[in-house]
């Protein structure tokens, strides 16, 4: 996977949630969520089904407005930013995203540059950003193919390329590894790590604990809409906390080349 470079690695913004509360269908989905995300790091948001992971990402990206509390982007309320400015700051890859119209891959990826487009059209910088994003996600060879001719995994990589092309200061991805084969799962994780090397921040929702400990600098563990723990993966993902949060037992080990892994199993009743 090729590196993804930002036009500028300096002056990256901060992103924070302050006492976010959100109720949907009579259920408290997010309950007093307060946290600050760190630029230049990968934060993995983990938790069981229904924990509020995707909803938190939606609030951070501006797709949902919390009932109480606020999201701060570089110290400003998110609501104070124009949609164009917010799109330059935050790029979102939602869960299950897909495309149903017959557009070619290069055209779709180029849509990620829209927040940066000048009135006179595509610039050399736009073209370079699109090329980098396509190389990073291994879709350059599909440039002229229609999206409808691609497999589910190939389309997922193209949609990630579209977000990368916008060079956001915060990249939010909800289950970005779904539909990908093992090689492209690992490639995507490395691609996301490359994004942080420019100083940008990455926040991604994951279910696989092993993917989280492989890629994350920090883990945010949610359960029932509340933050259970936040910190380094080795501090948050302990056997006791995994049992309390997921209801499974676990063994944590290290491979001969130093990669940590977690094996889970049903708890004895």
């Amino acid at each position: 996977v090729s590196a993804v470079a930002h036009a500028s690695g300096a002056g990256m913004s901060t992103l924070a949630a302050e006492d976010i509360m959100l109720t949907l269908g009579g259920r408290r989905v997010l309950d007093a969520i307060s946290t600050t995300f760190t630029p230049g790091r990968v934060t993995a948001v983990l938790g069981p089904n229904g924990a509020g992971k995707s909803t938190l990402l939606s609030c951070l990206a501006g797709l949902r407005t919390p009932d109480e509390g606020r999201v701060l982007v570089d110290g400003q309320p998110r609501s104070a930013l124009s949609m164009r400015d917010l799109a330059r700051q935050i790029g979102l890859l939602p869960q299950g995203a897909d495309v149903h119209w017959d557009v070619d891959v290069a055209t779709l990826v180029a849509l990620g540059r829209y927040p940066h487009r000048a009135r006179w059209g595509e610039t050399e910088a736009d073209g370079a950003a699109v090329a980098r994003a396509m190389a990073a996600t291994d879709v350059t060879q599909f440039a002229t193919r229609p999206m409808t001719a691609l497999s589910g995994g190939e389309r997922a990589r193209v949609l990630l390329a579209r977000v990368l092309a916008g060079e956001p200061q915060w990249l939010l991805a909800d289950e970005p590894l779904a539909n990908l084969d093992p090689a492209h799962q690992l490639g995507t994780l490395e691609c996301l790590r490359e994004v942080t090397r420019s100083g940008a921040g990455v926040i991604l929702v994951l279910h696989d604990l092993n993917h989280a400990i492989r890629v994350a600098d920090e883990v945010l563990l949610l359960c029932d809409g509340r933050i259970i723990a936040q910190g380094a993966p080795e501090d948050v993902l302990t056997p006791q906390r995994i049992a309390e949060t997921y209801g499974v037992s676990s063994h944590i080990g290290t491979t001969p080349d130093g990669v940590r892994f977690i094996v889970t199993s049903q708890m004895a009743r």
Side-chain angles (χ1 to χ4, degrees), residues 137-207:
T137 52
D138 193 26
V139 299
T140 304
Q141 68 272 29
F142 305 143
T144 60
R145 289 176 60 182
M147 286 292 291
T148 52
L150 302 182
S151 70
E154 290 165 346
R155 287 196 298 271
R157 283 152 48 203
V158 172
L159 291 169
L160 175 58
R162 180 176 64 175
V163 178
L164 292 173
E167 298 178 322
Q169 297 191 29
W170 289 95
L171 194 160
L172 280 52
D174 193 354
E175 286 293 326
L177 307 183
N179 298 320
L180 299 183
D181 60 49
H184 281 107
Q185 286 181 351
L186 296 178
T188 296
L189 292 177
E190 179 55 31
C191 175
L192 294 171
R193 283 232 55 89
E194 282 289 328
V195 170
T196 65
R197 292 185 183 117
S198 70
V202 172
I203 306 169
L204 65 159
V205 169
L206 293 172
H207 277 296

Side-chain angles (χ1 to χ4, degrees), residues 12 14 16 25-26 149 165 192 208 226 237 240:
M12 288 298 170
T14 57
L192 294 171
D208 191 312
R226 298 180 179 182
L237 296 177
Q240 179 179 352

Side-chain angles (χ1 to χ4, degrees), residues 46-68:
L46 305 178
N49 293 339
K53 304 181 296 295
S54 297
T55 306
L56 175 59
L57 246 62
S58 294
C59 287
L60 294 173
L63 298 185
R64 288 189 184 275
T65 300
D67 301 326
E68 299 178 35

Side-chain angles (χ1 to χ4, degrees), residues 58-148:
S58 294
C59 287
L60 294 173
L63 298 185
R64 288 189 184 275
T65 300
D67 301 326
E68 299 178 35
R70 60 181 184 167
V71 173
L72 299 176
V73 181
D74 209 16
Q76 299 183 70
R78 189 198 63 206
S79 57
L81 298 174
S82 69
M83 292 301 295
R84 189 179 181 91
D85 286 341
L86 186 62
R88 287 175 177 168
Q89 296 264 18
I90 298 175
L92 173 67
L93 181 65
Q95 185 176 3
D98 206 348
V99 175
H100 301 285
W101 68 91
D102 202 20
V103 62
D104 67 72
V105 167
T107 299
L108 183 75
V109 176
L111 291 176
R113 294 299 300 170
Y114 180 76
H116 300 276
R117 284 277 172 84
R119 68 181 65 182
W120 49 85
E122 183 175 311
T123 65
E124 186 175 333
D126 291 328
V130 169
R132 285 194 298 269
M134 293 177 66
T137 52
D138 193 26
V139 299
T140 304
Q141 68 272 29
F142 305 143
T144 60
R145 289 176 60 182
M147 286 292 291
T148 52

Side-chain angles (χ1 to χ4, degrees), residues 37-43 170 193 196 199-203 215 217-218 231-232:
F37 298 96
T38 306
R41 293 167 69 85
V42 175
T43 300
W170 289 95
R193 283 232 55 89
T196 65
V202 172
I203 306 169
V215 71
D217 300 298
E218 187 170 55

